[in-house]
Amino acid sequence: EVQLVESGGGLVQAGGSLRLSCAASGFTFDDYAIGWFRQAPGKEREGISCISPSDSSTYYVDSVKGRFTISSDNAKNTVYLQMNSLKPEDTAVYYCARDFLFGGSSCPDVSGMDYWGKGTLVTVSS
């Protein structure tokens, strides 16, 4: 059974940092890209960062470039999202998800992801 479990969310002041983790199981980790997505209240879910564990290629949406860093620990089947210089507009539920395409990269397209975690809430206070 494919499972993705996020952790690391919480309440932080503007300018602070958090590190999110996405623990994956039930599939060969190296074969699929993993993405981080977020959904703020009243807004659509958006893809913010992706990584291909096989070659460590990465993607960032413009709004998080230079502030967020995605990485993977293939030995632990875990993807991380280091978030620095957080802003109130980063407040959202953060999800990790698996690209549906074996060896491909639909990420950051929401419709291109087939398994999702339950999410972790990040709240940035001003």
Side-chain angles (χ1 to χ4, degrees):
E1 178 188 7
V2 174
Q3 286 192 323
L4 299 166
V5 180
E6 304 94 339
S7 62
L11 173 64
V12 64
Q13 288 188 331
S17 298
L18 284 174
R19 188 177 80 155
L20 305 184
S21 299
C22 171
S25 60
F27 63 98
T28 303
F29 186 72
D30 289 1
D31 287 344
Y32 295 87
I34 300 291
W36 282 101
F37 298 75
R38 67 185 180 187
Q39 188 165 18
K43 294 189 177 182
E44 292 187 354
R45 191 170 299 188
E46 65 167 339
I48 59 171
S49 187
C50 309
I51 188 166
S52 175
S54 61
D55 62 6
S56 297
S57 59
T58 59
Y59 160 86
Y60 298 95
V61 71
D62 285 348
S63 60
V64 307
K65 280 181 182 176
R67 300 189 299 123
F68 291 9
T69 303
I70 193 169
S71 62
S72 66
D73 184 333
N74 291 13
K76 295 183 178 180
N77 286 2
T78 299
V79 173
Y80 303 98
L81 187 69
Q82 178 66 44
M83 306 187 296
N84 298 330
S85 302
L86 282 161
K87 305 175 182 181
E89 52 263 43
D90 294 317
T91 295
V93 178
Y94 284 70
Y95 301 88
C96 63
R98 191 189 79 165
D99 195 308
F100 90 98
L101 191 59
F102 175 90
S105 184
S106 299
C107 187
D109 184 358
V110 172
S111 64
M113 314 304 283
D114 58 356
Y115 288 94
W116 294 81
K118 293 182 178 181
T120 186
L121 177 63
V122 172
T123 303
V124 184
S125 63
S126 58

